[in-house]
Amino acid sequence: MKTAGKIFIIASAVLLAAWVLPWIYTLISLKPYSTPFTLYSCTVHDFTSLDRSDGKGFRFIDTKGNVHGDEAQPTFYASVLASKGALPDTIEGRKVTLEEIERNSIIASSDPKDVNRTKAPVYLLMESVPVRLELQDAEEAMVSRKDGIYIYEMASNELLKAKSDSLNAALKALGFTFPARLFAGKPSNRKEYDEGWLVTDSADRLFKLKQVNGLIEIRTFPGADDLHASWLMITEFENRATLAYIVDKNGLLNILKADGTVVPTEVPFDPRKEDLLIVGDMFFYTVKTSTSDGEHFYALRADDFSLVDTLERPYPKDFSLPGIRYTSGSDGWVKPRLRGFRE
Amino acid sequence: MNRMIIYKEWLKTRWALLGVVLTFAAVTFYCFLNLSKVVEIRGAELLWEALVDKDTVLTEILKYLPLAAGVVLAACQFLPEVTHKRLKLTLHLPYPQGRMLLNIALYGLAVLAVIFALQALVSALILKQWVVWELVARILRTMAVWYLAGWAGYLFAAAVCLEPTWRMRAVLLVLAAGFVALLFKSEVPEAYNGFFPVLLLYVVLSVSLLYYGVARFKEGKQD
């Protein structure tokens, strides 16, 4: 046993050193690195990056090196331009107003750390048509189990059996196969309106559950069933044009429009590994996916989501000491993983 | 002989155990009194929301109790053996030394397990009043790592007590600090689910440290 104790101490010391020494090295050698804010311009028709290196304020540089002012991003900086009386009344041959621009401006993001974590199978259920018009905090919650979705009143922690039975019977009648696999929703009262939850069943069919006047309204999306969604994000943007973003079995981003139709895009996105940022206006969407290797930009037309342009921006490789790390910026788990070059 | 060993350990630890049990009871009572007031004033919905949307399991105040209990219990069991020079006498009793050491350690680990299990049971029973079992299980799975830290703290503290030289004690303290830091590294609920069996195995293997210290003591190692 003495030998076992000695081996235990040596092994522990090696594991500790392999964890702590690279961490200290990284801490000492880490240099700040940032990339400029980049959007596709609806006036320049090119990606423009914010440059403040001369300290003289905002200027935008396109991929050809041309320098532009705020007018290169008239929708993103619409309020600034309007305050100066410089907001154009026509963009892309279309008459625009500040109100219209603001209503059609969207921002959405996803972080792998929010995807890669153990979540409780409990989903807060809001009333989508509140009596007092403003959205209120959820009073009920759905609990996903192997044989159904059960609704609880949170205040009393009591199962609402009749409501749950009615929901499960309705879902089964529509061909829903339990257990549910993915849930996507934003049960917050800090939004304009509530679309409820998008849910996929065990056969990857897509459904929407929304509480309207105390009853659960179910909607199916036959056009989305072949996608075999691996990731969903409900949008709930002010313009109500879209319902969700969906990553399909091929790893491509799809847009689920409010009318239930699915528009595929050519944007590859792995929500488990990549950050996603979508900034859109009434003309173009700039989609940025990024890993530790670099950033990938895609410009899509806002009307049909066709690909207009792309831009790649690799990050410089940073050397880090090989070793073990137990946490990661891209997941919420503690587990050993080898580290070498920056991941 | 086993009963005698257990009785001897009981005599050494009974007052410390009373202190540990009272501390556990007091802090656990305080934790759930706080939560019951939240439920009373703002409703149980707040607990559900916090457990679903935030990186909390609501019982974080209990986090370091098991570790402290493990260290205190180990000190009460093993410090007198060393400071009062009883270890040599203990090792000369007509009983296999290895089994003697194991029984002493198992006494401490079992007592800690009972205290931890009682706290987990009480927590589950209270929480079950307010939230569904899925959320209670989430809390318990997160708390399991804190209890593992209690066992690790016990075994490492015992090893430090039994180790005859300060140099090796320092090494053991650094290893203990590293392992405990790993166990408390993440605030994310259920962050350790997949890694837990490996951590448990490591804690079980750390029993070998006790034998290592005793062997060095018998060899007459000194600073």
Side-chain angles (χ1 to χ4, degrees):
Chain A
M1 280 304 265
K2 190 196 170 189
T3 312
K6 199 170 189 173
I7 292 169
F8 183 85
I9 289 171
I10 292 168
S12 299
V14 169
L15 287 173
L16 186 64
W19 174 31
V20 174
L21 293 181
W23 173 69
I24 292 172
Y25 173 83
T26 305
L27 206 64
I28 293 168
S29 65
L30 197 66
K31 290 186 179 72
Y33 179 75
S34 64
T35 54
F37 180 58
T38 302
L39 288 178
Y40 190 78
S41 166
C42 58
T43 53
V44 180
H45 292 112
D46 192 3
F47 288 100
T48 61
S49 300
L50 181 62
D51 176 43
R52 303 187 68 183
S53 56
D54 63 355
K56 289 180 183 168
F58 283 57
R59 61 179 202 160
F60 297 88
I61 300 178
D62 64 26
T63 56
K64 295 167 196 75
N66 302 314
V67 179
H68 308 273
D70 283 340
E71 70 281 358
Q73 293 296 345
T75 55
F76 195 80
Y77 295 102
S79 302
V80 177
L81 289 169
S83 70
K84 295 176 186 167
L87 183 68
D89 54 5
T90 306
I91 302 173
E92 289 272 283
R94 182 173 158 185
K95 289 254 179 210
V96 293
T97 63
L98 179 61
E99 187 272 331
E100 193 183 7
I101 289 172
E102 286 180 339
R103 197 179 63 247
N104 287 289
S105 294
I106 63 111
I107 295 181
S109 63
S110 170
D111 184 333
K113 196 153 192 167
D114 296 328
V115 179
N116 299 320
R117 54 168 54 210
T118 308
K119 292 173 184 161
V122 178
Y123 309 93
L124 307 187
L125 185 61
M126 299 178 72
E127 170 57 55
S128 299
V129 187
V131 181
R132 306 292 298 171
L133 298 179
E134 280 188 9
L135 291 173
Q136 303 295 313
D137 286 335
E139 292 176 357
E140 294 168 6
M142 297 183 290
V143 180
S144 175
R145 292 182 181 141
K146 279 182 187 173
D147 58 342
I149 295 173
Y150 295 86
I151 302 171
Y152 281 76
E153 184 184 65
M154 290 190 284
S156 61
N157 192 24
E158 275 183 18
L159 173 68
L160 302 176
K161 191 166 184 319
K163 198 168 181 175
S164 303
D165 289 348
S166 149
L167 170 65
N168 289 323
L171 282 171
K172 277 179 190 164
L174 289 167
F176 192 102
T177 52
F178 295 105
R181 210 168 59 79
L182 296 175
F183 279 76
K186 294 176 187 166
S188 162
N189 57 18
R190 282 175 289 186
K191 58 186 182 183
E192 290 286 319
Y193 64 101
D194 177 58
E195 280 292 355
W197 288 88
L198 280 172
V199 183
T200 59
D201 69 359
S202 62
D204 295 332
R205 291 184 57 204
L206 185 66
F207 296 78
K208 190 178 80 166
L209 309 181
K210 179 175 168 180
Q211 178 156 237
V212 178
N213 298 321
L215 298 171
I216 311 289
E217 191 182 272
I218 305 171
R219 183 176 172 189
T220 57
F221 300 92
D225 288 343
D226 292 337
L227 294 178
H228 294 276
S230 62
W231 175 84
L232 302 167
M233 175 196 273
I234 207 153
T235 52
E236 292 172 344
F237 298 136
E238 197 182 338
N239 64 8
R240 300 185 187 232
T242 60
L243 264 182
Y245 298 143
I246 302 172
V247 171
D248 63 25
K249 61 187 171 190
N250 300 316
L252 293 173
L253 193 68
N254 293 262
I255 316 290
L256 179 62
K257 295 181 80 172
D259 61 7
T261 56
V262 176
V263 184
T265 75
E266 295 175 54
V267 178
F269 170 52
D270 183 348
R272 291 198 170 274
K273 292 180 180 165
E274 295 175 303
D275 284 305
L276 173 75
L277 176 67
I278 302 177
V279 180
D281 59 27
M282 49 206 292
F283 305 104
F284 296 99
Y285 279 24
T286 304
V287 181
K288 181 178 88 168
T289 61
S290 47
T291 63
S292 53
D293 293 333
E295 297 173 342
H296 312 271
F297 293 89
Y298 305 87
L300 308 177
R301 290 201 66 83
D303 49 4
D304 61 0
F305 300 100
S306 59
L307 186 66
V308 177
D309 202 354
T310 61
L311 176 70
E312 302 282 314
R313 183 180 287 144
Y315 293 144
K317 287 276 182 195
D318 278 354
F319 179 76
S320 65
L321 284 181
I324 300 171
R325 63 193 176 117
Y326 291 95
T327 51
S328 162
S330 58
D331 67 52
W333 295 303
V334 177
K335 58 181 183 181
R337 31 196 136 204
L338 294 176
R339 63 191 282 168
F341 288 94
R342 199 176 81 170
E343 291 167 40
Chain B
M1 188 56 125
N2 285 343
R3 286 171 60 188
M4 308 265 291
I5 294 169
I6 290 169
Y7 183 63
K8 177 168 149 276
E9 295 309 306
W10 164 248
L11 290 179
K12 278 194 290 185
T13 58
R14 56 189 168 169
W15 295 112
L17 275 178
L18 181 66
V20 166
V21 169
L22 287 178
T23 308
F24 263 69
V27 181
T28 308
F29 176 75
Y30 174 75
C31 172
F32 289 107
L33 181 69
N34 264 343
L35 289 180
S36 73
K37 289 295 164 195
V38 170
V39 171
E40 198 179 312
I41 296 165
R42 305 207 34 204
E45 299 97 318
L46 201 71
L47 304 191
W48 287 67
E49 282 174 33
L51 287 167
V52 171
D53 285 342
K54 309 270 191 309
D55 279 342
T56 179
V57 288
L58 306 171
T59 55
E60 278 80 4
I61 195 172
L62 310 174
K63 198 172 190 176
Y64 299 105
L65 269 187
L67 175 64
V71 173
V72 166
L73 191 63
C76 290
Q77 277 187 269
F78 292 96
L79 264 187
E81 299 284 343
V82 179
T83 55
H84 299 155
K85 313 275 185 202
R86 287 187 206 147
L87 186 58
K88 196 177 277 184
L89 182 66
T90 304
L91 296 175
H92 279 85
L93 288 172
Y95 194 75
Q97 289 174 8
R99 201 183 297 172
M100 168 85 74
L101 194 60
L102 187 64
N103 283 345
I104 293 173
L106 283 178
Y107 167 85
L109 292 172
V111 164
L112 287 174
V114 170
I115 295 170
F116 298 163
L118 275 175
Q119 189 190 45
L121 182 67
V122 168
S123 303
L125 288 174
I126 297 172
L127 288 163
K128 189 71 191 72
Q129 310 287 313
W130 299 323
V131 295
V132 281
W133 170 246
E134 282 80 357
L135 294 176
V136 176
R138 180 174 176 80
I139 295 169
L140 294 180
R141 281 195 290 266
T142 305
M143 289 171 70
V145 179
W146 309 345
Y147 295 138
L148 194 63
W151 272 11
Y154 173 83
L155 289 168
F156 272 102
V160 169
C161 291
L162 290 172
E163 167 57 41
T165 69
W166 278 106
R167 198 172 58 180
M168 187 52 79
R169 273 185 200 142
V171 172
L172 291 174
L173 282 171
V174 169
L175 295 182
F179 186 62
V180 169
L182 177 61
L183 294 179
F184 291 111
K185 186 151 180 59
S186 177
E187 302 284 332
V188 179
E190 302 196 66
Y192 293 84
N193 282 5
F195 194 29
F196 189 85
V198 178
L199 294 170
L200 178 62
L201 179 67
Y202 181 88
V203 171
V204 170
L205 292 177
S206 70
V207 172
S208 63
L209 292 175
L210 308 184
Y211 291 93
Y212 181 71
V214 167
R216 283 166 57 81
F217 174 80
K218 281 165 62 184
E219 287 167 7
K221 300 273 185 195
Q222 284 182 325
D223 284 316

